[in-house]
Amino acid sequence: MRSVTVFLGLLLFTGWFAPAALAQPATGPRASDTASPEAIIAALYDVISGPAGQARDWDRFRGLFAIGARLLPAAPKPDGTAPTSLSPDDYMTRSNDRLVKDGFFEEEVASRTEAFGTIMHVFSTYESRR
């Protein structure tokens, strides 16, 4: 198992912080998934986690992000260059086959939240396993 701290601020806000018009998909996020910052983080881990052979609910995943959101890996590439940012759809395309084939689980072990006005950063430390 490994622990990694992820910067999820500004990437995982939808209806709870942003105007409803910015939420994806067109049907909108689940109300229970956006009831609080903790619910958003829990929903993210729930969507990407699952045993081998289990399809992921990518519509639910999309509903956790504001339009234009980017995912930024926390570590540099092996060659030392900056990581490439991904849209939620880029992440789904790159990850789906591997997640379904091999199975993957993430669980939060600690978090720190900082807020100022309507902007919130959530630093989530998690453990992952395959």
Side-chain angles (χ1 to χ4, degrees):
M1 288 194 261
R2 67 182 173 112
S3 289
V4 178
T5 300
V6 177
F7 173 71
L8 295 170
L10 299 182
L11 298 177
L12 295 178
F13 72 97
T14 56
W16 201 71
F17 295 106
L22 296 179
Q24 296 178 9
T27 58
R30 294 181 185 178
S32 60
D33 286 350
T34 59
S36 68
E38 295 81 10
I40 295 169
I41 302 300
L44 174 73
Y45 290 136
D46 188 50
V47 169
I48 63 175
S49 296
Q54 179 180 309
R56 300 315 193 256
D57 184 349
W58 293 123
D59 284 336
R60 182 181 181 200
F61 182 81
R62 278 188 195 97
L64 300 173
F65 296 88
I67 292 173
R70 306 300 291 175
L71 296 159
L72 302 167
K77 294 178 182 177
D79 66 4
T81 61
T84 303
S85 70
L86 305 167
S87 70
D89 285 333
D90 292 338
Y91 175 83
M92 294 177 327
T93 299
R94 288 177 61 171
S95 303
N96 184 67
D97 292 346
R98 182 176 36 88
L99 294 175
V100 173
K101 178 180 179 254
D102 300 334
F104 181 77
F105 295 89
E106 281 186 347
E107 182 176 357
E108 186 172 67
V109 295
S111 69
R112 186 179 86 213
T113 301
E114 298 175 357
F116 179 78
T118 60
I119 298 172
M120 179 174 283
H121 297 207
V122 177
F123 296 88
S124 178
T125 303
Y126 62 91
E127 62 182 19
S128 62
R129 60 189 187 287
R130 299 189 190 297

